[in-house]
Amino acid sequence: VALPFAESVNYPQVHVDFTHLSEAPDSVAQLVFKLLPVTNGGALQLVSQLKTEHTACPDQPFVLAGYSQGAWVVDKALHTLNTSSKVPVLGAEALAILHQIKGVWLMGDPALPQNATTRVGVPQPPNEYGIASHVRMGYDASNYFAEGLAAGSAWSACIPNDPICEYDGKWKDLLPRMYIHTSYTTKLFGGETIATEGGKFLASQVS
């Protein structure tokens, strides 16, 4: 039995100065558009790494995890694979990779859609969603997770009042609530941190 192997996705980091977010109502949109090119690049890099690993070992299962911008990278990569899988003949590889992705765990996703079902046991408020979705750069709840993944294999966790994945449109409140966005390794849910729960979930998907 092969031992699990973990690999990160390297893409340029964008420094974000949240202290300037209260200067103008459109500052949240500016933040999203600043992150978008790098996120797209990260998604393409993730797809490339998955293709490389799949070519080397076609039966290898994958689990994917992402936090904040990394979560957006993961769901963009999944949608890229889903789009590619619909291309006749050439889409076979992308579809095969999607079938080998056994678990997905996202935390604090900027692209979390409105009315999404999340893993923290609290319904997503109807008028609150990720900052990327707020500026129409995210997804609808119906297509948040790409087709081709097994039912129940993908989850997104958003701590209530996290301003990145549960943005209410009040840009002046974003900075004071940013401490919540950094709480996924400390915030308890069911007796464990959300990050720990995610790790256990992903491990159970390939055990």
Side-chain angles (χ1 to χ4, degrees):
V1 177
L3 293 175
F5 174 73
E7 185 175 353
S8 62
V9 178
N10 294 318
Y11 57 95
Q13 295 182 347
V14 176
H15 174 70
V16 178
D17 185 356
F18 288 101
T19 61
H20 292 166
L21 286 176
S22 61
E23 292 181 358
D26 66 346
S27 58
V28 171
Q30 292 176 15
L31 167 62
V32 172
F33 286 114
K34 183 178 181 180
L35 295 175
L36 183 60
V38 176
T39 304
N40 287 336
L44 292 175
Q45 177 61 32
L46 175 53
V47 170
S48 176
Q49 290 176 221
L50 288 169
K51 287 183 176 180
T52 298
E53 294 296 329
H54 179 72
T55 298
C57 186
D59 295 328
Q60 175 180 213
F62 300 105
V63 293
L64 304 177
Y67 160 71
S68 195
Q69 186 184 356
W72 196 11
V73 164
V74 170
D75 55 45
K76 271 186 168 291
L78 292 173
H79 280 268
T80 297
L81 286 169
N82 181 51
T83 299
S84 298
S85 72
K86 299 182 185 302
V87 178
V89 182
L90 298 178
E93 179 187 35
L95 184 60
I97 292 173
L98 282 171
H99 287 167
Q100 289 303 109
I101 296 174
K102 304 303 183 183
V104 178
W105 184 269
L106 307 180
M107 298 176 290
D109 187 2
L112 187 71
Q114 188 176 14
N115 298 321
T117 300
T118 65
R119 184 74 176 201
V120 295
V122 180
Q124 189 78 355
N127 296 317
E128 299 182 11
Y129 37 92
I131 58 173
S133 294
H134 179 75
V135 295
R136 301 184 183 278
M137 299 303 294
Y139 312 98
D140 294 326
S142 61
N143 70 346
Y144 178 37
F145 289 117
E147 299 173 12
L149 299 176
S153 65
W155 285 97
S156 190
C158 181
I159 299 175
N161 297 313
D162 178 341
I164 299 301
C165 56
E166 197 174 284
Y167 180 58
D168 59 4
K170 299 176 182 178
W171 48 272
K172 289 185 178 180
D173 295 339
L174 198 150
L175 179 60
R177 290 164 51 188
M178 276 304 297
Y179 75 95
I180 301 174
H181 185 62
T182 62
S183 301
Y184 288 86
T185 58
T186 57
K187 182 73 173 180
L188 295 181
F189 172 64
E192 296 182 310
T193 68
I194 293 174
T196 299
E197 185 198 359
K200 289 186 174 181
F201 166 75
L202 293 178
S204 71
Q205 294 298 104
V206 291
S207 61

